[in-house]
Amino acid sequence: RIPSGHLSVSAKNHMFGKLLKPRRFKRKSSLQLSLNSYGLTTTIGYLPMRSPHLIRCFCRSSVSLQGIELQDPKWTQSSYINERRINARNGDIKAMLFLGMTSLKKENTVIDITEGLQWLEKAFDKGEITVATMLGRAYSTGEGVDQSYEKAVIWFRKGAEQDEPKSQYFLGQFYQLGFGVEQNTNTAIVWLEKSANQNDEQAIEGLARIHMELPTPNLQVASYWFKRAADLGVTNAMSDLGYIALETNGEVVDYDTAFRYLHEGADKGDAHCMFNLAEFYHIGAGVEKDVDKQLELLKKASSTGNHFADIRLGFLFEENNDFVEAVTWFQKAANGGISDACHKLISIYTEGREGVPADPAQVGKYQKLIEEETTNSN
């Protein structure tokens, strides 16, 4: 059973049939991001990976305005730029946005960033409040400007105070993470709720995750927000509803409700939903036990590159004393970075199993993989 925001589970979870607290994402120092906003697609720098949820939302989130043609190859022509300057001076907001966004382009050599920022601020002052979100994201990641969380917060706050839902969402996330402000979960919840009340699906999911990750998780409140996100089609939320149902034996989220959401997410191709749905068939949670269905779902999840499914399949085949098949799945999981699978293979190859002889060379191979993983994680 894995919540969608996690990337590793302990082997003990499967050996003893219960969930221990999963380890978080393996943190990397940064993630390169690309921004597609107002028609502009460009690499926008690096954001420290302190929040997998925020990373995902930076990648998914976008603000857009019809009629901004920043992909037009004429943007590099000085005559074209001058024409837009004239339009901007005459109060054309789209021209202001064009000039401002062009100044942020990585390959820009025609508009000074200072001029571009002035046009964007004028557009904001004329009521184009989504500029606040765009500039907040630019300062967050160093897109065309010097990276500054503090300046990002200033712009997110400007947008948030004018009810721009994306600005409210990001401001809430920054308070939750302590980016550019003192960390404050209560303030984070206030801004996220404002955004969620405008049906921003990322804010809705973010609220659920905050309540799920409190020192004392509030699964009742988390499940309320996960249901709202799931009803908007967010498959991560569908997976987490299944997780909560399994964790609480169907008390906080009943099995029937969770099964329905997991089935919907699995049909959409979400591997986490497939994984958790397989667990429903394994224990008979609101459905008859069905090993064949469980294997089918896990193999389908594995085919998407989900290595939790690989290790789960390894344990299932081991339980049935099919060690040759178990080793095949443990190896897939190990090669996918699941250290628990490496430990399992070391045990198997140290002592040997039916059909799998002891092999010191394989023991050394997986010990080396663990050492490399430890070094990389540090």
mmCIF file of all heavy atoms in Angstrom, residues 75-115:
data_model
loop_
_atom_site.group_PDB
_atom_site.id
_atom_site.type_symbol
_atom_site.label_atom_id
_atom_site.label_comp_id
_atom_site.label_asym_id
_atom_site.label_seq_id
_atom_site.Cartn_x
_atom_site.Cartn_y
_atom_site.Cartn_z
ATOM 1 N N TRP A 75 9.480 37.503 -33.333
ATOM 2 C CA TRP A 75 9.763 38.176 -32.065
ATOM 3 C C TRP A 75 11.215 38.649 -31.967
ATOM 4 O O TRP A 75 11.536 39.525 -31.172
ATOM 5 C CB TRP A 75 9.419 37.285 -30.876
ATOM 6 C CG TRP A 75 10.358 36.151 -30.590
ATOM 7 C CD1 TRP A 75 10.277 34.894 -31.074
ATOM 8 C CD2 TRP A 75 11.523 36.177 -29.759
ATOM 9 N NE1 TRP A 75 11.301 34.122 -30.617
ATOM 10 C CE2 TRP A 75 12.085 34.878 -29.792
ATOM 11 C CE3 TRP A 75 12.154 37.156 -28.978
ATOM 12 C CZ2 TRP A 75 13.238 34.550 -29.100
ATOM 13 C CZ3 TRP A 75 13.301 36.815 -28.281
ATOM 14 C CH2 TRP A 75 13.831 35.534 -28.337
ATOM 15 N N THR A 76 12.095 38.107 -32.790
ATOM 16 C CA THR A 76 13.495 38.525 -32.749
ATOM 17 C C THR A 76 13.751 39.744 -33.638
ATOM 18 O O THR A 76 14.859 40.283 -33.636
ATOM 19 C CB THR A 76 14.411 37.382 -33.225
ATOM 20 O OG1 THR A 76 14.035 36.999 -34.552
ATOM 21 C CG2 THR A 76 14.316 36.189 -32.302
ATOM 22 N N GLN A 77 12.765 40.191 -34.395
ATOM 23 C CA GLN A 77 12.957 41.321 -35.307
ATOM 24 C C GLN A 77 12.687 42.628 -34.575
ATOM 25 O O GLN A 77 11.649 42.824 -33.960
ATOM 26 C CB GLN A 77 12.013 41.187 -36.510
ATOM 27 C CG GLN A 77 12.261 39.928 -37.341
ATOM 28 C CD GLN A 77 11.242 39.772 -38.455
ATOM 29 O OE1 GLN A 77 10.486 40.703 -38.746
ATOM 30 N NE2 GLN A 77 11.240 38.613 -39.089
ATOM 31 N N SER A 78 13.650 43.554 -34.660
ATOM 32 C CA SER A 78 13.528 44.808 -33.924
ATOM 33 C C SER A 78 12.308 45.611 -34.367
ATOM 34 O O SER A 78 11.655 46.264 -33.541
ATOM 35 C CB SER A 78 14.800 45.643 -34.113
ATOM 36 O OG SER A 78 15.020 45.906 -35.492
ATOM 37 N N SER A 79 11.956 45.545 -35.650
ATOM 38 C CA SER A 79 10.783 46.283 -36.121
ATOM 39 C C SER A 79 9.507 45.747 -35.484
ATOM 40 O O SER A 79 8.592 46.511 -35.135
ATOM 41 C CB SER A 79 10.688 46.204 -37.646
ATOM 42 O OG SER A 79 10.568 44.846 -38.069
ATOM 43 N N TYR A 80 9.447 44.422 -35.334
ATOM 44 C CA TYR A 80 8.293 43.778 -34.709
ATOM 45 C C TYR A 80 8.215 44.174 -33.239
ATOM 46 O O TYR A 80 7.132 44.484 -32.713
ATOM 47 C CB TYR A 80 8.425 42.268 -34.872
ATOM 48 C CG TYR A 80 7.215 41.470 -34.470
ATOM 49 C CD1 TYR A 80 6.071 41.468 -35.254
ATOM 50 C CD2 TYR A 80 7.220 40.698 -33.309
ATOM 51 C CE1 TYR A 80 4.957 40.721 -34.910
ATOM 52 C CE2 TYR A 80 6.112 39.950 -32.949
ATOM 53 C CZ TYR A 80 4.979 39.962 -33.744
ATOM 54 O OH TYR A 80 3.891 39.227 -33.402
ATOM 55 N N ILE A 81 9.351 44.185 -32.564
ATOM 56 C CA ILE A 81 9.405 44.583 -31.154
ATOM 57 C C ILE A 81 8.986 46.033 -31.000
ATOM 58 O O ILE A 81 8.207 46.389 -30.093
ATOM 59 C CB ILE A 81 10.827 44.361 -30.591
ATOM 60 C CG1 ILE A 81 11.195 42.876 -30.613
ATOM 61 C CG2 ILE A 81 10.932 44.932 -29.179
ATOM 62 C CD1 ILE A 81 10.316 41.995 -29.775
ATOM 63 N N ASN A 82 9.482 46.905 -31.874
ATOM 64 C CA ASN A 82 9.139 48.326 -31.778
ATOM 65 C C ASN A 82 7.644 48.548 -31.980
ATOM 66 O O ASN A 82 7.035 49.415 -31.337
ATOM 67 C CB ASN A 82 9.941 49.126 -32.803
ATOM 68 C CG ASN A 82 11.411 49.242 -32.410
ATOM 69 O OD1 ASN A 82 11.746 49.194 -31.226
ATOM 70 N ND2 ASN A 82 12.282 49.394 -33.404
ATOM 71 N N GLU A 83 7.058 47.771 -32.880
ATOM 72 C CA GLU A 83 5.618 47.871 -33.090
ATOM 73 C C GLU A 83 4.854 47.512 -31.817
ATOM 74 O O GLU A 83 3.876 48.175 -31.456
ATOM 75 C CB GLU A 83 5.213 46.940 -34.236
ATOM 76 C CG GLU A 83 3.738 46.990 -34.578
ATOM 77 C CD GLU A 83 3.375 46.014 -35.688
ATOM 78 O OE1 GLU A 83 4.272 45.610 -36.445
ATOM 79 O OE2 GLU A 83 2.179 45.663 -35.784
ATOM 80 N N ARG A 84 5.330 46.474 -31.128
ATOM 81 C CA ARG A 84 4.692 46.074 -29.871
ATOM 82 C C ARG A 84 4.905 47.132 -28.785
ATOM 83 O O ARG A 84 4.025 47.347 -27.949
ATOM 84 C CB ARG A 84 5.246 44.715 -29.403
ATOM 85 C CG ARG A 84 4.869 43.548 -30.331
ATOM 86 C CD ARG A 84 3.355 43.352 -30.336
ATOM 87 N NE ARG A 84 2.919 42.373 -31.309
ATOM 88 C CZ ARG A 84 2.624 42.640 -32.573
ATOM 89 N NH1 ARG A 84 2.748 43.876 -33.031
ATOM 90 N NH2 ARG A 84 2.228 41.698 -33.395
ATOM 91 N N ARG A 85 6.054 47.803 -28.798
ATOM 92 C CA ARG A 85 6.290 48.871 -27.828
ATOM 93 C C ARG A 85 5.269 49.996 -28.020
ATOM 94 O O ARG A 85 4.730 50.537 -27.052
ATOM 95 C CB ARG A 85 7.704 49.430 -27.985
ATOM 96 C CG ARG A 85 8.798 48.554 -27.394
ATOM 97 C CD ARG A 85 10.097 49.343 -27.272
ATOM 98 N NE ARG A 85 11.149 48.542 -26.672
ATOM 99 C CZ ARG A 85 12.145 47.974 -27.375
ATOM 100 N NH1 ARG A 85 12.181 48.111 -28.699
ATOM 101 N NH2 ARG A 85 13.060 47.265 -26.755
ATOM 102 N N ILE A 86 5.031 50.339 -29.263
ATOM 103 C CA ILE A 86 4.055 51.398 -29.548
ATOM 104 C C ILE A 86 2.673 50.983 -29.041
ATOM 105 O O ILE A 86 1.972 51.765 -28.378
ATOM 106 C CB ILE A 86 4.006 51.681 -31.064
ATOM 107 C CG1 ILE A 86 5.331 52.313 -31.522
ATOM 108 C CG2 ILE A 86 2.826 52.599 -31.405
ATOM 109 C CD1 ILE A 86 5.462 52.450 -33.034
ATOM 110 N N ASN A 87 2.304 49.734 -29.312
ATOM 111 C CA ASN A 87 1.007 49.240 -28.844
ATOM 112 C C ASN A 87 0.931 49.254 -27.322
ATOM 113 O O ASN A 87 -0.111 49.596 -26.737
ATOM 114 C CB ASN A 87 0.765 47.824 -29.365
ATOM 115 C CG ASN A 87 0.578 47.777 -30.873
ATOM 116 O OD1 ASN A 87 0.300 48.795 -31.495
ATOM 117 N ND2 ASN A 87 0.746 46.599 -31.458
ATOM 118 N N ALA A 88 2.035 48.842 -26.664
ATOM 119 C CA ALA A 88 2.056 48.814 -25.199
ATOM 120 C C ALA A 88 1.915 50.216 -24.627
ATOM 121 O O ALA A 88 1.186 50.433 -23.651
ATOM 122 C CB ALA A 88 3.350 48.167 -24.720
ATOM 123 N N ARG A 89 2.595 51.198 -25.242
ATOM 124 C CA ARG A 89 2.491 52.582 -24.762
ATOM 125 C C ARG A 89 1.085 53.125 -24.915
ATOM 126 O O ARG A 89 0.676 54.034 -24.184
ATOM 127 C CB ARG A 89 3.495 53.454 -25.523
ATOM 128 C CG ARG A 89 4.955 53.149 -25.179
ATOM 129 C CD ARG A 89 5.900 54.058 -25.922
ATOM 130 N NE ARG A 89 7.295 53.635 -25.722
ATOM 131 C CZ ARG A 89 8.142 53.357 -26.700
ATOM 132 N NH1 ARG A 89 7.753 53.470 -27.968
ATOM 133 N NH2 ARG A 89 9.375 52.979 -26.426
ATOM 134 N N ASN A 90 0.358 52.537 -25.872
ATOM 135 C CA ASN A 90 -1.031 52.949 -26.080
ATOM 136 C C ASN A 90 -2.012 52.154 -25.218
ATOM 137 O O ASN A 90 -3.222 52.244 -25.405
ATOM 138 C CB ASN A 90 -1.404 52.796 -27.553
ATOM 139 C CG ASN A 90 -0.717 53.823 -28.435
ATOM 140 O OD1 ASN A 90 -0.422 54.938 -27.988
ATOM 141 N ND2 ASN A 90 -0.447 53.463 -29.679
ATOM 142 N N GLY A 91 -1.449 51.360 -24.284
ATOM 143 C CA GLY A 91 -2.294 50.659 -23.315
ATOM 144 C C GLY A 91 -2.698 49.244 -23.688
ATOM 145 O O GLY A 91 -3.560 48.659 -23.026
ATOM 146 N N ASP A 92 -2.091 48.675 -24.712
ATOM 147 C CA ASP A 92 -2.411 47.306 -25.139
ATOM 148 C C ASP A 92 -1.775 46.314 -24.165
ATOM 149 O O ASP A 92 -0.552 46.129 -24.147
ATOM 150 C CB ASP A 92 -1.886 47.075 -26.556
ATOM 151 C CG ASP A 92 -2.335 45.735 -27.128
ATOM 152 O OD1 ASP A 92 -2.555 44.799 -26.339
ATOM 153 O OD2 ASP A 92 -2.428 45.616 -28.364
ATOM 154 N N ILE A 93 -2.609 45.666 -23.346
ATOM 155 C CA ILE A 93 -2.091 44.753 -22.323
ATOM 156 C C ILE A 93 -1.382 43.560 -22.956
ATOM 157 O O ILE A 93 -0.344 43.106 -22.466
ATOM 158 C CB ILE A 93 -3.227 44.278 -21.401
ATOM 159 C CG1 ILE A 93 -3.752 45.458 -20.577
ATOM 160 C CG2 ILE A 93 -2.734 43.170 -20.461
ATOM 161 C CD1 ILE A 93 -4.899 45.097 -19.668
ATOM 162 N N LYS A 94 -1.923 43.047 -24.070
ATOM 163 C CA LYS A 94 -1.286 41.904 -24.711
ATOM 164 C C LYS A 94 0.119 42.251 -25.195
ATOM 165 O O LYS A 94 1.037 41.428 -25.117
ATOM 166 C CB LYS A 94 -2.142 41.405 -25.874
ATOM 167 C CG LYS A 94 -3.445 40.767 -25.426
ATOM 168 C CD LYS A 94 -4.247 40.264 -26.621
ATOM 169 C CE LYS A 94 -5.559 39.641 -26.162
ATOM 170 N NZ LYS A 94 -6.370 39.180 -27.319
ATOM 171 N N ALA A 95 0.293 43.479 -25.682
ATOM 172 C CA ALA A 95 1.622 43.915 -26.103
ATOM 173 C C ALA A 95 2.563 44.003 -24.903
ATOM 174 O O ALA A 95 3.740 43.633 -24.989
ATOM 175 C CB ALA A 95 1.531 45.260 -26.816
ATOM 176 N N MET A 96 2.050 44.501 -23.776
ATOM 177 C CA MET A 96 2.868 44.561 -22.551
ATOM 178 C C MET A 96 3.318 43.167 -22.147
ATOM 179 O O MET A 96 4.490 42.943 -21.797
ATOM 180 C CB MET A 96 2.064 45.191 -21.416
ATOM 181 C CG MET A 96 1.666 46.626 -21.631
ATOM 182 S SD MET A 96 0.607 47.215 -20.266
ATOM 183 C CE MET A 96 0.052 48.795 -20.913
ATOM 184 N N LEU A 97 2.379 42.213 -22.185
ATOM 185 C CA LEU A 97 2.712 40.842 -21.813
ATOM 186 C C LEU A 97 3.715 40.236 -22.788
ATOM 187 O O LEU A 97 4.640 39.534 -22.379
ATOM 188 C CB LEU A 97 1.441 39.999 -21.761
ATOM 189 C CG LEU A 97 0.476 40.328 -20.624
ATOM 190 C CD1 LEU A 97 -0.867 39.652 -20.850
ATOM 191 C CD2 LEU A 97 1.061 39.911 -19.285
ATOM 192 N N PHE A 98 3.528 40.522 -24.058
ATOM 193 C CA PHE A 98 4.462 40.008 -25.052
ATOM 194 C C PHE A 98 5.881 40.495 -24.763
ATOM 195 O O PHE A 98 6.832 39.720 -24.753
ATOM 196 C CB PHE A 98 4.036 40.439 -26.459
ATOM 197 C CG PHE A 98 5.010 40.047 -27.529
ATOM 198 C CD1 PHE A 98 4.925 38.809 -28.146
ATOM 199 C CD2 PHE A 98 6.042 40.901 -27.900
ATOM 200 C CE1 PHE A 98 5.843 38.426 -29.109
ATOM 201 C CE2 PHE A 98 6.961 40.537 -28.863
ATOM 202 C CZ PHE A 98 6.857 39.296 -29.473
ATOM 203 N N LEU A 99 6.033 41.794 -24.534
ATOM 204 C CA LEU A 99 7.357 42.356 -24.274
ATOM 205 C C LEU A 99 7.949 41.805 -22.987
ATOM 206 O O LEU A 99 9.136 41.468 -22.917
ATOM 207 C CB LEU A 99 7.248 43.883 -24.194
ATOM 208 C CG LEU A 99 6.864 44.588 -25.509
ATOM 209 C CD1 LEU A 99 6.498 46.042 -25.249
ATOM 210 C CD2 LEU A 99 7.996 44.497 -26.521
ATOM 211 N N GLY A 100 7.117 41.713 -21.965
ATOM 212 C CA GLY A 100 7.616 41.197 -20.688
ATOM 213 C C GLY A 100 8.040 39.751 -20.775
ATOM 214 O O GLY A 100 9.126 39.372 -20.307
ATOM 215 N N MET A 101 7.201 38.903 -21.378
ATOM 216 C CA MET A 101 7.537 37.486 -21.487
ATOM 217 C C MET A 101 8.734 37.262 -22.401
ATOM 218 O O MET A 101 9.565 36.392 -22.162
ATOM 219 C CB MET A 101 6.330 36.707 -21.997
ATOM 220 C CG MET A 101 5.211 36.584 -20.993
ATOM 221 S SD MET A 101 5.690 35.647 -19.521
ATOM 222 C CE MET A 101 5.843 34.003 -20.208
ATOM 223 N N THR A 102 8.842 38.076 -23.457
ATOM 224 C CA THR A 102 9.994 37.951 -24.349
ATOM 225 C C THR A 102 11.283 38.246 -23.599
ATOM 226 O O THR A 102 12.310 37.587 -23.803
ATOM 227 C CB THR A 102 9.851 38.903 -25.556
ATOM 228 O OG1 THR A 102 8.686 38.545 -26.291
ATOM 229 C CG2 THR A 102 11.066 38.812 -26.471
ATOM 230 N N SER A 103 11.250 39.213 -22.698
ATOM 231 C CA SER A 103 12.463 39.564 -21.940
ATOM 232 C C SER A 103 12.916 38.430 -21.037
ATOM 233 O O SER A 103 14.092 38.362 -20.661
ATOM 234 C CB SER A 103 12.209 40.823 -21.105
ATOM 235 O OG SER A 103 11.371 40.549 -19.984
ATOM 236 N N LEU A 104 11.992 37.533 -20.702
ATOM 237 C CA LEU A 104 12.336 36.412 -19.833
ATOM 238 C C LEU A 104 12.839 35.193 -20.597
ATOM 239 O O LEU A 104 13.339 34.247 -19.988
ATOM 240 C CB LEU A 104 11.114 36.002 -19.003
ATOM 241 C CG LEU A 104 10.588 37.032 -17.996
ATOM 242 C CD1 LEU A 104 9.287 36.548 -17.377
ATOM 243 C CD2 LEU A 104 11.624 37.310 -16.915
ATOM 244 N N LYS A 105 12.692 35.209 -21.907
ATOM 245 C CA LYS A 105 13.127 34.054 -22.696
ATOM 246 C C LYS A 105 14.636 33.874 -22.576
ATOM 247 O O LYS A 105 15.404 34.837 -22.604
ATOM 248 C CB LYS A 105 12.761 34.234 -24.172
ATOM 249 C CG LYS A 105 11.277 34.071 -24.470
ATOM 250 C CD LYS A 105 10.953 34.372 -25.911
ATOM 251 C CE LYS A 105 11.386 33.281 -26.857
ATOM 252 N NZ LYS A 105 10.450 32.145 -26.883
ATOM 253 N N LYS A 106 15.042 32.623 -22.472
ATOM 254 C CA LYS A 106 16.465 32.304 -22.304
ATOM 255 C C LYS A 106 17.296 32.852 -23.447
ATOM 256 O O LYS A 106 18.419 33.323 -23.257
ATOM 257 C CB LYS A 106 16.618 30.782 -22.193
ATOM 258 C CG LYS A 106 18.035 30.312 -21.928
ATOM 259 C CD LYS A 106 18.069 28.794 -21.794
ATOM 260 C CE LYS A 106 19.478 28.297 -21.511
ATOM 261 N NZ LYS A 106 19.517 26.817 -21.399
ATOM 262 N N GLU A 107 16.741 32.784 -24.682
ATOM 263 C CA GLU A 107 17.489 33.195 -25.863
ATOM 264 C C GLU A 107 17.282 34.661 -26.210
ATOM 265 O O GLU A 107 17.719 35.132 -27.264
ATOM 266 C CB GLU A 107 17.095 32.316 -27.056
ATOM 267 C CG GLU A 107 15.636 32.404 -27.453
ATOM 268 C CD GLU A 107 14.755 31.408 -26.719
ATOM 269 O OE1 GLU A 107 15.065 31.083 -25.557
ATOM 270 O OE2 GLU A 107 13.757 30.962 -27.303
ATOM 271 N N ASN A 108 16.617 35.422 -25.332
ATOM 272 C CA ASN A 108 16.322 36.821 -25.609
ATOM 273 C C ASN A 108 17.584 37.671 -25.717
ATOM 274 O O ASN A 108 18.460 37.622 -24.847
ATOM 275 C CB ASN A 108 15.430 37.391 -24.501
ATOM 276 C CG ASN A 108 15.347 38.902 -24.550
ATOM 277 O OD1 ASN A 108 15.012 39.477 -25.574
ATOM 278 N ND2 ASN A 108 15.693 39.537 -23.431
ATOM 279 N N THR A 109 17.679 38.468 -26.777
ATOM 280 C CA THR A 109 18.765 39.452 -26.929
ATOM 281 C C THR A 109 18.205 40.790 -27.386
ATOM 282 O O THR A 109 18.974 41.686 -27.716
ATOM 283 C CB THR A 109 19.803 38.965 -27.957
ATOM 284 O OG1 THR A 109 19.151 38.759 -29.230
ATOM 285 C CG2 THR A 109 20.478 37.675 -27.517
ATOM 286 N N VAL A 110 16.881 40.912 -27.403
ATOM 287 C CA VAL A 110 16.276 42.109 -28.005
ATOM 288 C C VAL A 110 15.587 43.019 -26.997
ATOM 289 O O VAL A 110 15.343 44.191 -27.293
ATOM 290 C CB VAL A 110 15.263 41.700 -29.103
ATOM 291 C CG1 VAL A 110 15.979 41.073 -30.275
ATOM 292 C CG2 VAL A 110 14.194 40.767 -28.551
ATOM 293 N N ILE A 111 15.249 42.515 -25.824
ATOM 294 C CA ILE A 111 14.565 43.345 -24.830
ATOM 295 C C ILE A 111 15.286 43.209 -23.492
ATOM 296 O O ILE A 111 15.472 42.096 -22.983
ATOM 297 C CB ILE A 111 13.093 42.937 -24.670
ATOM 298 C CG1 ILE A 111 12.354 43.064 -25.997
ATOM 299 C CG2 ILE A 111 12.404 43.807 -23.613
ATOM 300 C CD1 ILE A 111 10.912 42.638 -25.924
ATOM 301 N N ASP A 112 15.675 44.322 -22.921
ATOM 302 C CA ASP A 112 16.330 44.309 -21.620
ATOM 303 C C ASP A 112 15.359 43.831 -20.551
ATOM 304 O O ASP A 112 14.164 44.189 -20.573
ATOM 305 C CB ASP A 112 16.839 45.716 -21.295
ATOM 306 C CG ASP A 112 17.555 45.771 -19.955
ATOM 307 O OD1 ASP A 112 18.701 45.304 -19.880
ATOM 308 O OD2 ASP A 112 16.937 46.266 -18.975
ATOM 309 N N ILE A 113 15.842 43.041 -19.610
ATOM 310 C CA ILE A 113 14.975 42.475 -18.584
ATOM 311 C C ILE A 113 14.322 43.560 -17.734
ATOM 312 O O ILE A 113 13.167 43.441 -17.327
ATOM 313 C CB ILE A 113 15.751 41.477 -17.686
ATOM 314 C CG1 ILE A 113 14.800 40.799 -16.688
ATOM 315 C CG2 ILE A 113 16.891 42.165 -16.976
ATOM 316 C CD1 ILE A 113 13.724 39.978 -17.322
ATOM 317 N N THR A 114 15.048 44.664 -17.516
ATOM 318 C CA THR A 114 14.472 45.754 -16.726
ATOM 319 C C THR A 114 13.253 46.333 -17.420
ATOM 320 O O THR A 114 12.199 46.571 -16.801
ATOM 321 C CB THR A 114 15.513 46.867 -16.508
ATOM 322 O OG1 THR A 114 16.646 46.317 -15.821
ATOM 323 C CG2 THR A 114 14.926 48.004 -15.683
ATOM 324 N N GLU A 115 13.359 46.540 -18.729
ATOM 325 C CA GLU A 115 12.222 47.033 -19.501
ATOM 326 C C GLU A 115 11.081 46.024 -19.472
ATOM 327 O O GLU A 115 9.912 46.396 -19.286
ATOM 328 C CB GLU A 115 12.620 47.296 -20.951
ATOM 329 C CG GLU A 115 11.451 47.765 -21.814
ATOM 330 C CD GLU A 115 11.757 47.790 -23.305
ATOM 331 O OE1 GLU A 115 12.912 47.522 -23.686
ATOM 332 O OE2 GLU A 115 10.816 48.065 -24.090
#
